[in-house]
Amino acid sequence: MSVRRFRSVGVDPATGKEAFVVAQPGGFLEELADAHALKAAAVLVTIVGAVLEGGRSSDTELAAFVPALHAALEECVGIMAADREH
């Protein structure tokens, strides 16, 4: 039994609010949510990489990224696991 969960598909430019869907496995909305998750993870990698390369960041600055990085990694792992099931 799969657990339904809300997935982000990005930010509505008109309202500035994040849009969420309950995506069915293999459906269009799941594909859209996967693409958004991968793009968000790529942006986080770029930002954290730039902070690390700068060499002047404190542990507090890096710690601020940990929750977002954890969420992105968790979602990307879920995407990869779902791909393996198909």
Side-chain angles (χ1 to χ4, degrees), residues 15-85:
T15 64
K17 295 181 179 180
E18 192 166 7
F20 293 93
V21 298
V22 176
Q24 297 297 324
F28 173 74
L29 292 177
E30 181 184 52
E31 188 176 319
L32 189 62
D34 288 353
H36 174 69
L38 294 172
K39 184 168 41 168
V43 169
L44 278 168
V45 165
T46 301
I47 292 169
V48 172
V51 169
L52 290 172
E53 286 178 10
R56 294 177 292 194
S57 60
S58 69
D59 288 343
T60 304
E61 288 174 320
L62 290 174
F65 290 105
V66 171
L69 286 170
H70 178 264
L73 180 58
E74 184 176 45
E75 191 155 19
C76 288
V77 168
I79 292 167
M80 291 184 297
D83 284 346
R84 301 275 305 182
E85 291 175 0

